[in-house]
Amino acid sequence: MNCRSEVLEVSLEGRQVDEALLALLHTILLHRSTGKFHYKKEGTYSIGTVGTQDIDCDFIDFTFVRVSSDELDRVIRKAVAEFKDALGNSGSDGMGQISLEFYQKKKSRWPFSDECIPWEVWTIKVNVVNLANEQERQICREKVGEKLGEKVINIVEVINRHEYLPKMPTQSEVDNVFDTSLKDVQPYLYKITYQITDSLGTSVSTTMRRLIKDTLAL
Amino acid sequence: MDSDLSPQDRKDLDKFIKFFALKTVQVIVQARLGEKICTRSSSSPTGSDWFTLAIKDIPEVTHEAKKALAGQLPSIGRSMCVEISLKTSEGDSMELETWCLEMNEKCEKDIKVSYTVYTRLSLLLKSLLAITRVTPAYKLSRKQGHDYVILYRIYFGDVQLSGLGEGFQTVRVGIVGTPIGTLTLSCAYRTNLALMSSRRFERTGPIMGIIIDHFVERPLSNTALLHPCNYRAPVEEEGGAYAGVEDSQEVCTTSFSTSPPSQVEASPDPAAFTHSMSGTFMYLTMAVPGKEGGVPQVLLQPSHGTQADHGRAPSCPTADMPHQAPPSSCSSGDADVLSRSSELKSASPSDVLETTFTRKVGAFVNKPTTQVTTASLDLPFAAFAPKAYDLEENDPMVHPPASPTPSSPLQGSLHSQSSSQSGGQAQDDFVMVDFKPAFSKDDLLPMDLGTFYREFQNPPQLASLSIDISAQSMAEDLDSLPEKLAIYEKNIDEFDAFVDTLQ
């Protein structure tokens, strides 16, 4: 199985980074989350209900929809904040990328640890620009809003190709496919990583990998 | 192909498609309510949330959708469409987008109905949630209120995209293959939002009892262009359905703009239609800031000759009159003004001003008016005014008060008061009331530029620049020249001695 990889690029102002990344990551997770599974006897299960919420951006003329889950929102915000800090501290020209990777776990026998097999990776490349005056900021506000709209359409187009999705797991294997730690929703297993591009444009000068969500028991 | 499908699967599939269509309509209409939508996740399945998504059902929307479907399902050649349009408070309307749920012949026979199709329909609804916030109509719907409202119409059958104007764009939300065909959900949206389509007045019901149909014939015969609207006018109890309407159209917004978010029923909101129009969404009118709550007025120039001696401006409608009253009376008054514009000086003020609504009074109006009007400097609205003749005559930029050649009795009278009088007295005769000078921002701020113009419009003339005095002094100079020359010749020795001392 090949891992599906999609890349989205955005150029924006420093103060727009948070909202733009939240918009895109939440749009992806909206499509990659289900309700909580409740397994019954005889191998059947029922699925909980996913609520949605409109979020207005303050620095971008844009509104996006996210899953109504404060827990999930906190996790994503934390990841985005870390990325933004790294971007600001790196001394680079404001270029970096953040990746949202969906994976499946494949149990291995001891002493080998479980294998994480990605099946879909979304990479958002960020280019931070500095603007000189308020008029440029206003234009940027609108332009970035339009760009994000295009990116949402791209995301939807990819997702609706209905390419590979992990099979629905049995109760014993649900943790290999889904993140079951949240109370209200159940996204596919995912991790968020990021890289800051140094001023020379090489992709790795300082590579920082942080596992935001680590469900490995070992 | 149907023979491969078990009866239970076929039944399930039909049910899925039906509820998918209903939920699609709910998502689209709710996204155009003008409010942020928020529903809660629930870990325990409630059994009533189709496609595992918490999408509330607005009963009237469901009712309209079922009425449009009339027991049928989207099938090949018969699509379900939700049309979103915008309607101003004056009756202009414009289609913004059309969402289409279509079915084509391409079948996916091996797909599992109960699981895969259901899951993919759920995914498609999520995509619809995302895409409905991205099309241009979303931003418009969030700003709807006094100036315009957003309406929806559901119809079944052939897709109609002609009302979207040229250059409309299409975005495909997604597709789901089923054993009986492939469902496609897409949106065609207008891109040319700046152009308010001409004079396509629709057959609308009376708003507050006034029918707005001036300037244009009503295309009653051309039902293809009509989008009948069930206005829930505040005074009417019924939905206002009109004869010959096949598809019902409801006002989404009567409850959207002012109702609290918890109110899900589309009930009429009087406030939405009795508020006078403040800013302008379109080209039509100017609001008088701050005065009568911005009663919309059609720009009219009184004919030039009325200024010198005319009376007061016509009485304005008071703030609590319905704002549609001016347009209706305007339609009769307009013709009068326009026909009289060519008769400058002979036009008596009373002829022009006998209409009962407020019209603009130009600069240099002789008598101070108690009513608020806007002045004549709004060139974009010149199309509504008697043409350049009046504009030019009244424009202080073109004919500054100090001009020596009076081009009108008005300015002649100004000049006759001339420099010997103070500017204050000259100002008493000419009242500048609330005009909007060029390049000033007509927003809520006080118009400093206008105030400046007004204060310094008629400065007193400098004495030395007065023509009479200067002419007089020149004549005297010329007369006295020979005498002066004679004196200088007599004293020529003194001049020479003086020159020597300088060397």
Side-chain angles (χ1 to χ4, degrees), chain B residues 266-317:
Chain B
S267 57
D269 180 14
F273 295 109
T274 54
H275 280 245
S276 48
M277 212 163 72
S278 51
T280 54
F281 172 71
M282 307 313 303
Y283 51 91
L284 280 177
T285 66
M286 279 178 302
V288 178
K291 292 287 180 152
E292 291 145 2
V295 174
Q297 303 160 22
V298 175
L299 166 57
L300 286 172
Q301 283 284 1
S303 52
H304 170 75
T306 64
Q307 293 157 359
D309 56 351
H310 70 12
R312 47 187 189 73
S315 59
C316 281

Short mmCIF file of all heavy atoms in Angstrom, two decimals, chain B residues 266-317:
data_model
loop_
_atom_site.label_atom_id
_atom_site.label_comp_id
_atom_site.label_asym_id
_atom_site.label_seq_id
_atom_site.Cartn_x
_atom_site.Cartn_y
_atom_site.Cartn_z
N ALA B 266 -38.60 29.98 10.65
CA ALA B 266 -38.51 31.19 9.84
C ALA B 266 -39.76 32.01 10.03
O ALA B 266 -40.72 31.88 9.30
CB ALA B 266 -38.32 30.82 8.38
N SER B 267 -39.76 32.83 11.01
CA SER B 267 -40.93 33.67 11.23
C SER B 267 -40.64 35.07 10.74
O SER B 267 -39.49 35.48 10.68
CB SER B 267 -41.28 33.71 12.72
OG SER B 267 -40.16 34.17 13.44
N PRO B 268 -41.66 35.79 10.39
CA PRO B 268 -41.43 37.12 9.85
C PRO B 268 -40.85 38.03 10.91
O PRO B 268 -41.19 37.95 12.08
CB PRO B 268 -42.81 37.59 9.42
CG PRO B 268 -43.75 36.76 10.19
CD PRO B 268 -43.08 35.45 10.43
N ASP B 269 -40.02 38.88 10.46
CA ASP B 269 -39.42 39.82 11.38
C ASP B 269 -39.68 41.22 10.89
O ASP B 269 -39.07 41.68 9.94
CB ASP B 269 -37.92 39.56 11.44
CG ASP B 269 -37.25 40.53 12.39
OD1 ASP B 269 -37.97 41.18 13.17
OD2 ASP B 269 -36.04 40.62 12.34
N PRO B 270 -40.57 41.87 11.51
CA PRO B 270 -40.91 43.21 11.02
C PRO B 270 -39.71 44.13 11.00
O PRO B 270 -39.60 44.98 10.16
CB PRO B 270 -41.95 43.71 12.03
CG PRO B 270 -42.46 42.49 12.70
CD PRO B 270 -41.36 41.47 12.67
N ALA B 271 -38.85 43.94 11.94
CA ALA B 271 -37.73 44.86 12.04
C ALA B 271 -36.90 44.85 10.78
O ALA B 271 -36.36 45.85 10.37
CB ALA B 271 -36.87 44.50 13.25
N ALA B 272 -36.85 43.71 10.14
CA ALA B 272 -35.99 43.64 8.96
C ALA B 272 -36.50 44.53 7.86
O ALA B 272 -35.77 44.94 7.00
CB ALA B 272 -35.91 42.20 8.47
N PHE B 273 -37.77 44.82 7.85
CA PHE B 273 -38.29 45.57 6.72
C PHE B 273 -38.74 46.96 7.07
O PHE B 273 -39.05 47.73 6.20
CB PHE B 273 -39.44 44.80 6.07
CG PHE B 273 -38.96 43.52 5.49
CD1 PHE B 273 -39.30 42.33 6.06
CD2 PHE B 273 -38.14 43.52 4.38
CE1 PHE B 273 -38.82 41.15 5.54
CE2 PHE B 273 -37.66 42.35 3.85
CZ PHE B 273 -38.02 41.16 4.43
N THR B 274 -38.80 47.28 8.33
CA THR B 274 -39.21 48.64 8.63
C THR B 274 -38.03 49.54 8.89
O THR B 274 -38.14 50.73 8.91
CB THR B 274 -40.13 48.68 9.86
OG1 THR B 274 -39.45 48.01 10.94
CG2 THR B 274 -41.44 48.00 9.58
N HIS B 275 -36.92 48.97 9.08
CA HIS B 275 -35.75 49.80 9.25
C HIS B 275 -35.45 50.48 7.94
O HIS B 275 -35.49 49.88 6.90
CB HIS B 275 -34.55 48.95 9.65
CG HIS B 275 -34.55 48.61 11.09
ND1 HIS B 275 -33.59 49.04 11.96
CD2 HIS B 275 -35.42 47.89 11.82
CE1 HIS B 275 -33.86 48.59 13.16
NE2 HIS B 275 -34.96 47.88 13.11
N SER B 276 -35.14 51.71 8.02
CA SER B 276 -34.77 52.37 6.78
C SER B 276 -33.37 51.96 6.41
O SER B 276 -32.58 51.54 7.24
CB SER B 276 -34.86 53.88 6.96
OG SER B 276 -34.20 54.23 8.15
N MET B 277 -33.06 52.14 5.19
CA MET B 277 -31.81 51.67 4.66
C MET B 277 -30.73 52.64 5.06
O MET B 277 -30.80 53.81 4.74
CB MET B 277 -31.93 51.61 3.15
CG MET B 277 -31.12 50.53 2.54
SD MET B 277 -31.68 50.21 0.89
CE MET B 277 -31.08 51.65 0.11
N SER B 278 -29.77 52.17 5.73
CA SER B 278 -28.67 53.06 6.08
C SER B 278 -27.67 53.05 4.95
O SER B 278 -27.89 53.58 3.94
CB SER B 278 -28.06 52.65 7.40
OG SER B 278 -27.76 51.27 7.37
N GLY B 279 -26.59 52.32 5.04
CA GLY B 279 -25.63 52.42 3.96
C GLY B 279 -26.22 51.93 2.67
O GLY B 279 -27.38 51.60 2.59
N THR B 280 -25.48 51.96 1.67
CA THR B 280 -26.03 51.48 0.40
C THR B 280 -25.29 50.24 -0.01
O THR B 280 -24.07 50.21 -0.08
CB THR B 280 -25.86 52.52 -0.71
OG1 THR B 280 -24.49 52.87 -0.75
CG2 THR B 280 -26.69 53.74 -0.43
N PHE B 281 -26.04 49.19 -0.26
CA PHE B 281 -25.42 48.02 -0.84
C PHE B 281 -25.25 48.24 -2.33
O PHE B 281 -24.30 47.82 -2.93
CB PHE B 281 -26.30 46.81 -0.58
CG PHE B 281 -25.84 45.61 -1.32
CD1 PHE B 281 -24.69 44.95 -0.95
CD2 PHE B 281 -26.56 45.13 -2.40
CE1 PHE B 281 -24.26 43.83 -1.63
CE2 PHE B 281 -26.13 44.02 -3.07
CZ PHE B 281 -25.00 43.36 -2.69
N MET B 282 -26.20 48.88 -2.90
CA MET B 282 -26.19 49.05 -4.34
C MET B 282 -25.97 50.49 -4.70
O MET B 282 -25.57 51.31 -3.93
CB MET B 282 -27.50 48.56 -4.92
CG MET B 282 -27.85 47.16 -4.50
SD MET B 282 -26.51 45.99 -4.66
CE MET B 282 -26.14 46.16 -6.34
N TYR B 283 -26.34 50.78 -5.85
CA TYR B 283 -26.04 52.07 -6.44
C TYR B 283 -27.09 53.10 -6.18
O TYR B 283 -26.94 54.24 -6.46
CB TYR B 283 -25.92 51.88 -7.94
CG TYR B 283 -27.11 51.17 -8.50
CD1 TYR B 283 -28.22 51.86 -8.95
CD2 TYR B 283 -27.17 49.79 -8.49
CE1 TYR B 283 -29.33 51.19 -9.41
CE2 TYR B 283 -28.29 49.12 -8.96
CZ TYR B 283 -29.36 49.83 -9.42
OH TYR B 283 -30.46 49.17 -9.87
N LEU B 284 -28.22 52.67 -5.67
CA LEU B 284 -29.41 53.48 -5.88
C LEU B 284 -29.48 54.78 -5.10
O LEU B 284 -29.72 55.82 -5.66
CB LEU B 284 -30.65 52.67 -5.54
CG LEU B 284 -31.10 51.72 -6.63
CD1 LEU B 284 -32.28 50.93 -6.14
CD2 LEU B 284 -31.46 52.50 -7.86
N THR B 285 -29.36 54.67 -3.82
CA THR B 285 -29.68 55.88 -3.07
C THR B 285 -28.56 56.26 -2.15
O THR B 285 -27.65 55.53 -1.88
CB THR B 285 -30.92 55.66 -2.21
OG1 THR B 285 -30.60 54.69 -1.23
CG2 THR B 285 -32.07 55.17 -3.05
N MET B 286 -28.75 57.44 -1.63
CA MET B 286 -27.85 57.87 -0.60
C MET B 286 -28.62 58.02 0.67
O MET B 286 -29.74 58.48 0.66
CB MET B 286 -27.29 59.23 -0.95
CG MET B 286 -26.19 59.17 -1.93
SD MET B 286 -25.68 60.78 -2.29
CE MET B 286 -27.22 61.41 -2.87
N ALA B 287 -28.02 57.69 1.74
CA ALA B 287 -28.67 57.90 3.02
C ALA B 287 -28.25 59.25 3.54
O ALA B 287 -27.14 59.69 3.34
CB ALA B 287 -28.27 56.82 3.99
N VAL B 288 -29.17 59.87 4.18
CA VAL B 288 -28.80 61.10 4.85
C VAL B 288 -28.28 60.71 6.20
O VAL B 288 -29.01 60.15 7.01
CB VAL B 288 -30.02 62.01 5.01
CG1 VAL B 288 -29.63 63.25 5.74
CG2 VAL B 288 -30.61 62.32 3.65
N PRO B 289 -27.09 60.98 6.45
CA PRO B 289 -26.52 60.44 7.69
C PRO B 289 -27.12 61.10 8.91
O PRO B 289 -27.21 62.31 9.00
CB PRO B 289 -25.04 60.77 7.56
CG PRO B 289 -24.96 61.87 6.60
CD PRO B 289 -26.13 61.76 5.69
N GLY B 290 -27.54 60.24 9.76
CA GLY B 290 -27.88 60.72 11.10
C GLY B 290 -29.12 61.53 11.23
O GLY B 290 -29.53 61.87 12.32
N LYS B 291 -29.76 61.83 10.18
CA LYS B 291 -30.84 62.78 10.32
C LYS B 291 -32.18 62.08 10.52
O LYS B 291 -32.77 62.09 11.56
CB LYS B 291 -30.90 63.68 9.10
CG LYS B 291 -29.72 64.60 9.01
CD LYS B 291 -29.77 65.71 10.02
CE LYS B 291 -28.56 66.58 9.89
NZ LYS B 291 -28.79 67.94 10.31
N GLU B 292 -32.64 61.48 9.50
CA GLU B 292 -33.94 60.84 9.70
C GLU B 292 -33.79 59.35 9.73
O GLU B 292 -34.58 58.63 9.21
CB GLU B 292 -34.89 61.21 8.57
CG GLU B 292 -35.26 62.65 8.65
CD GLU B 292 -35.43 63.22 7.26
OE1 GLU B 292 -35.30 62.47 6.28
OE2 GLU B 292 -35.70 64.41 7.17
N GLY B 293 -32.76 58.91 10.29
CA GLY B 293 -32.50 57.48 10.29
C GLY B 293 -32.18 56.99 8.91
O GLY B 293 -32.35 55.83 8.60
N GLY B 294 -31.72 57.88 8.11
CA GLY B 294 -31.28 57.43 6.80
C GLY B 294 -32.41 57.03 5.89
O GLY B 294 -32.43 55.96 5.29
N VAL B 295 -33.37 57.83 5.81
CA VAL B 295 -34.46 57.52 4.89
C VAL B 295 -33.91 57.58 3.48
O VAL B 295 -33.28 58.53 3.09
CB VAL B 295 -35.60 58.54 5.05
CG1 VAL B 295 -36.65 58.30 3.99
CG2 VAL B 295 -36.21 58.45 6.43
N PRO B 296 -34.11 56.54 2.75
CA PRO B 296 -33.53 56.53 1.41
C PRO B 296 -34.21 57.55 0.52
O PRO B 296 -35.41 57.75 0.57
CB PRO B 296 -33.82 55.11 0.91
CG PRO B 296 -34.94 54.64 1.73
CD PRO B 296 -34.86 55.33 3.05
N GLN B 297 -33.43 58.20 -0.24
CA GLN B 297 -33.98 59.21 -1.13
C GLN B 297 -33.43 59.00 -2.51
O GLN B 297 -32.29 58.64 -2.68
CB GLN B 297 -33.57 60.60 -0.67
CG GLN B 297 -33.98 60.88 0.75
CD GLN B 297 -33.15 62.01 1.30
OE1 GLN B 297 -32.61 62.79 0.54
NE2 GLN B 297 -33.04 62.10 2.60
N VAL B 298 -34.24 59.24 -3.44
CA VAL B 298 -33.74 59.20 -4.81
C VAL B 298 -33.17 60.56 -5.10
O VAL B 298 -33.75 61.58 -4.77
CB VAL B 298 -34.89 58.90 -5.77
CG1 VAL B 298 -34.42 58.99 -7.19
CG2 VAL B 298 -35.46 57.52 -5.48
N LEU B 299 -32.02 60.54 -5.73
CA LEU B 299 -31.38 61.81 -5.99
C LEU B 299 -32.13 62.56 -7.06
O LEU B 299 -32.38 62.06 -8.15
CB LEU B 299 -29.95 61.54 -6.46
CG LEU B 299 -29.25 62.73 -7.10
CD1 LEU B 299 -29.22 63.90 -6.15
CD2 LEU B 299 -27.86 62.34 -7.50
N LEU B 300 -32.50 63.72 -6.76
CA LEU B 300 -33.14 64.56 -7.76
C LEU B 300 -32.57 65.94 -7.64
O LEU B 300 -32.33 66.45 -6.56
CB LEU B 300 -34.63 64.65 -7.51
CG LEU B 300 -35.42 63.40 -7.88
CD1 LEU B 300 -36.83 63.56 -7.41
CD2 LEU B 300 -35.39 63.18 -9.37
N GLN B 301 -32.39 66.55 -8.76
CA GLN B 301 -31.97 67.94 -8.76
C GLN B 301 -33.18 68.80 -9.01
O GLN B 301 -33.87 68.62 -10.00
CB GLN B 301 -30.97 68.16 -9.89
CG GLN B 301 -29.60 67.67 -9.58
CD GLN B 301 -28.88 68.59 -8.64
OE1 GLN B 301 -29.44 69.59 -8.22
NE2 GLN B 301 -27.66 68.26 -8.30
N PRO B 302 -33.43 69.72 -8.17
CA PRO B 302 -34.50 70.64 -8.52
C PRO B 302 -34.03 71.48 -9.69
O PRO B 302 -32.84 71.66 -9.87
CB PRO B 302 -34.68 71.50 -7.28
CG PRO B 302 -33.37 71.40 -6.58
CD PRO B 302 -32.76 70.07 -6.92
N SER B 303 -34.94 71.92 -10.46
CA SER B 303 -34.51 72.71 -11.61
C SER B 303 -33.91 74.00 -11.12
O SER B 303 -34.27 74.54 -10.09
CB SER B 303 -35.66 72.96 -12.56
OG SER B 303 -36.75 73.49 -11.85
N HIS B 304 -33.03 74.47 -11.88
CA HIS B 304 -32.14 75.52 -11.46
C HIS B 304 -32.88 76.78 -11.07
O HIS B 304 -32.55 77.45 -10.11
CB HIS B 304 -31.17 75.78 -12.61
CG HIS B 304 -30.37 76.99 -12.39
ND1 HIS B 304 -29.32 77.02 -11.51
CD2 HIS B 304 -30.46 78.21 -12.91
CE1 HIS B 304 -28.79 78.22 -11.52
NE2 HIS B 304 -29.45 78.97 -12.35
N GLY B 305 -33.88 77.08 -11.84
CA GLY B 305 -34.54 78.36 -11.62
C GLY B 305 -35.29 78.44 -10.32
O GLY B 305 -35.77 79.49 -9.95
N THR B 306 -35.41 77.37 -9.68
CA THR B 306 -36.21 77.42 -8.45
C THR B 306 -35.43 77.97 -7.29
O THR B 306 -35.96 78.24 -6.24
CB THR B 306 -36.68 76.01 -8.08
OG1 THR B 306 -35.53 75.23 -7.78
CG2 THR B 306 -37.43 75.39 -9.23
N GLN B 307 -34.20 78.13 -7.50
CA GLN B 307 -33.40 78.41 -6.32
C GLN B 307 -33.57 79.82 -5.81
O GLN B 307 -33.59 80.06 -4.63
CB GLN B 307 -31.93 78.18 -6.62
CG GLN B 307 -31.65 76.73 -6.87
CD GLN B 307 -30.41 76.57 -7.67
OE1 GLN B 307 -29.80 77.55 -8.05
NE2 GLN B 307 -30.05 75.35 -7.95
N ALA B 308 -33.69 80.69 -6.73
CA ALA B 308 -33.58 82.09 -6.29
C ALA B 308 -34.68 82.46 -5.33
O ALA B 308 -34.47 83.16 -4.37
CB ALA B 308 -33.60 83.01 -7.50
N ASP B 309 -35.82 81.98 -5.62
CA ASP B 309 -36.91 82.47 -4.79
C ASP B 309 -37.83 81.39 -4.29
O ASP B 309 -38.95 81.65 -3.90
CB ASP B 309 -37.72 83.48 -5.59
CG ASP B 309 -38.21 82.86 -6.89
OD1 ASP B 309 -37.77 81.73 -7.21
OD2 ASP B 309 -39.02 83.49 -7.58
N HIS B 310 -37.37 80.20 -4.32
CA HIS B 310 -38.34 79.19 -3.99
C HIS B 310 -38.47 79.03 -2.50
O HIS B 310 -37.68 79.49 -1.71
CB HIS B 310 -37.99 77.88 -4.61
CG HIS B 310 -36.79 77.32 -3.97
ND1 HIS B 310 -36.32 77.84 -2.84
CD2 HIS B 310 -35.99 76.35 -4.33
CE1 HIS B 310 -35.25 77.16 -2.50
NE2 HIS B 310 -35.03 76.25 -3.40
N GLY B 311 -39.47 78.33 -2.24
CA GLY B 311 -39.75 78.15 -0.83
C GLY B 311 -39.00 76.99 -0.26
O GLY B 311 -37.92 76.62 -0.68
N ARG B 312 -39.65 76.45 0.59
CA ARG B 312 -39.02 75.42 1.37
C ARG B 312 -38.95 74.12 0.56
O ARG B 312 -39.70 73.90 -0.38
CB ARG B 312 -39.83 75.19 2.62
CG ARG B 312 -41.25 75.09 2.20
CD ARG B 312 -42.20 75.04 3.36
NE ARG B 312 -43.48 74.72 2.80
CZ ARG B 312 -43.79 73.52 2.34
NH1 ARG B 312 -42.94 72.54 2.39
NH2 ARG B 312 -44.97 73.29 1.80
N ALA B 313 -38.13 73.33 1.01
CA ALA B 313 -38.06 71.99 0.44
C ALA B 313 -39.31 71.24 0.86
O ALA B 313 -39.93 71.57 1.85
CB ALA B 313 -36.82 71.27 0.98
N PRO B 314 -39.66 70.30 0.11
CA PRO B 314 -40.85 69.53 0.47
C PRO B 314 -40.64 68.82 1.79
O PRO B 314 -39.52 68.57 2.19
CB PRO B 314 -41.00 68.52 -0.66
CG PRO B 314 -39.64 68.44 -1.24
CD PRO B 314 -39.02 69.77 -1.07
N SER B 315 -41.69 68.52 2.38
CA SER B 315 -41.57 67.88 3.69
C SER B 315 -41.03 66.48 3.53
O SER B 315 -41.39 65.74 2.63
CB SER B 315 -42.94 67.83 4.37
OG SER B 315 -43.82 67.09 3.55
N CYS B 316 -40.17 66.18 4.42
CA CYS B 316 -39.58 64.86 4.38
C CYS B 316 -40.51 63.87 5.02
O CYS B 316 -41.23 64.21 5.93
CB CYS B 316 -38.30 64.83 5.20
SG CYS B 316 -36.93 65.51 4.33
N PRO B 317 -40.43 62.70 4.59
CA PRO B 317 -41.12 61.66 5.37
C PRO B 317 -40.43 61.54 6.71
O PRO B 317 -39.23 61.65 6.80
CB PRO B 317 -40.95 60.39 4.55
CG PRO B 317 -39.89 60.69 3.57
CD PRO B 317 -39.80 62.15 3.41
#
